[in-house]
Amino acid sequence: MQQMERVERVVVLALDGVYPFELGIPSRIFGAADGRYEVLTCSVDGRPVPSNADFTIGVEHGPEVLATADTVVIAPISPSRVTADLPDAVAAALARIRPDARIVSICTGAFILAAAGLLEGRKATTHWQLADRFRRMYPHIALDPDVLFVDDGRILTSAGAASGVDVCLHLVRKDHGSDLANTVARRCVVPPFRDGGQAQYIEQPVPEQGAASTAATRAWALEHLGEPLTLGDLAGHARMSLRTFARRFNDEVGLSPGRWLIQQRIARARHLLESSDLSVDRIAGQVGFATGASLRQHLHAAIGVSPQAYRRTFQAVAR
């Protein structure tokens, strides 16, 4: 008799001044994952929570459910409500979280985790517009404002607004593999994996009228990942000079063309490691790395594990 797969419990903490859009992301993403997760929403006292919009949000649970969570998500609050000192009720609620539970923050939720001392010695991110403020308040935390999210093991932090979608999909992918994460993304009509980081969303001067985009070249590159693509190949496809292409690519994606290619090759390799029995050398060739050793080096730099260890993990997940 086949054993029923355990359902992970996700508890979302709504604080005063919560952003309604981000508050709903965990329920929408995890709720589309074929019953693998149960999502509950709570407040610090079980009472309705004033949002940063013109309405109040009623919740079904008080802080006691935090003690039952496998994953806790801290929804963001209005920056005007961010303080260095946690209100007693918030601190008491966070103290209920089990030591082995994962904790995820969205946007200004990182300030809550930092104030609680949960980010000491860790890497983190938050909304790019609040990066300077975060650094002033918490100079000892390694903030990376260029990424969409940071996975630092037990604690994950994400950037503003829709990056909450990215980090939740990342957890589905980490827990249950790319196939389910891609299915969830299709159901929610969002990309399963977004290129680049926050830099592409930072306010930039308006481009000159008629300026060409690198989007078509990025799509072309994804169809030719197995080939030894160079910056000259990409610029030639886009019909731009090397310098213009590199500058425009970075403005649009937030990464250099070389870093973006490596990122895409790693993503393709991860999918093949999960979904096929191809050797590491064969996968390396299919995604554009010269050798299996090169794939091992890049994968370990990106996620800290070897191809064999990654494959074993996801084969166990599939079973």
Side-chain angles (χ1 to χ4, degrees):
M1 184 174 180
Q2 189 173 6
Q3 187 176 1
M4 292 288 290
E5 184 167 356
R6 181 175 177 275
V7 176
E8 298 280 319
R9 173 169 283 188
V10 178
V11 176
V12 187
L13 178 60
L15 302 173
D16 288 358
V18 68
Y19 282 86
F21 171 70
E22 289 90 328
L23 179 64
I25 287 173
S27 180
R28 188 67 185 91
I29 298 298
F30 294 119
D34 291 341
R36 306 292 180 90
Y37 301 90
E38 173 191 31
V39 184
L40 307 178
T41 305
C42 74
S43 65
V44 297
D45 54 11
R47 298 176 182 173
V49 179
S51 73
N52 83 317
D54 63 339
F55 54 86
T56 296
I57 298 172
V59 298
E60 296 293 326
H61 304 281
E64 64 279 355
V65 296
L66 290 166
T68 70
D70 299 297
T71 299
V72 173
V73 181
I74 311 298
I77 60 175
S78 172
S80 64
R81 292 178 179 262
V82 169
T83 61
D85 297 320
L86 285 181
D88 290 342
V90 176
L94 295 178
R96 293 174 177 265
I97 300 172
R98 296 199 323 258
D100 61 336
R102 286 188 303 206
I103 305 176
V104 182
S105 70
I106 302 175
C107 192
T108 54
F111 285 84
I112 306 298
L113 298 186
L118 294 170
L119 295 181
E120 293 299 320
R122 295 182 180 272
K123 296 179 181 179
T125 194
T126 190
H127 195 292
W128 63 267
Q129 285 185 311
L130 301 171
D132 289 342
R133 182 178 177 185
F134 190 95
R135 287 192 179 108
R136 287 194 302 270
M137 293 175 67
Y138 306 105
H140 303 300
I141 295 173
L143 185 75
D144 185 349
D146 294 330
V147 296
L148 295 174
F149 62 86
V150 170
D151 181 342
D152 196 28
R154 176 184 169 238
I155 297 183
L156 300 90
T157 52
S158 63
S163 64
V165 173
D166 297 296
V167 74
C168 289
L169 281 174
H170 169 72
L171 288 179
V172 175
R173 187 178 299 111
K174 190 174 182 178
D175 292 344
H176 301 290
S178 292
D179 285 346
L180 182 59
N182 292 343
T183 296
V184 170
R186 285 193 295 272
R187 288 171 178 168
C188 297
V189 199
V190 296
F193 183 83
R194 281 201 289 170
D195 299 334
Q198 288 196 78
Q200 60 189 303
Y201 303 105
I202 296 174
E203 293 173 357
Q204 302 282 359
V206 177
E208 297 176 8
Q209 187 173 6
S213 168
T214 64
T217 296
R218 296 199 302 273
W220 172 80
L222 290 176
E223 295 175 357
H224 296 81
L225 276 183
E227 301 173 16
L229 299 174
T230 66
L231 179 59
D233 295 330
L234 299 175
H237 181 273
R239 298 183 180 180
M240 300 179 193
S241 69
L242 293 177
R243 186 175 180 180
T244 297
F245 178 81
R247 184 181 68 251
R248 193 155 294 158
F249 192 102
N250 192 75
D251 288 345
E252 293 179 4
V253 178
L255 294 172
S256 69
R259 284 187 63 192
W260 179 84
L261 273 174
I262 289 173
Q263 186 183 77
Q264 301 310 310
R265 284 171 169 151
I266 290 171
R268 184 76 58 82
R270 289 172 68 175
H271 177 72
L272 290 173
L273 286 167
E274 294 175 30
S275 60
S276 78
D277 293 323
L278 294 174
S279 70
V280 172
D281 287 339
R282 284 281 305 278
I283 291 174
Q286 287 198 16
V287 304
F289 288 121
T291 63
S294 180
L295 170 57
R296 291 183 185 94
Q297 178 184 354
H298 285 294
L299 187 69
H300 193 275
I303 60 176
V305 299
S306 68
Q308 292 87 348
Y310 186 85
R311 171 171 270 165
R312 283 195 300 270
T313 297
F314 280 94
Q315 284 177 344
V317 166
R319 287 196 293 268

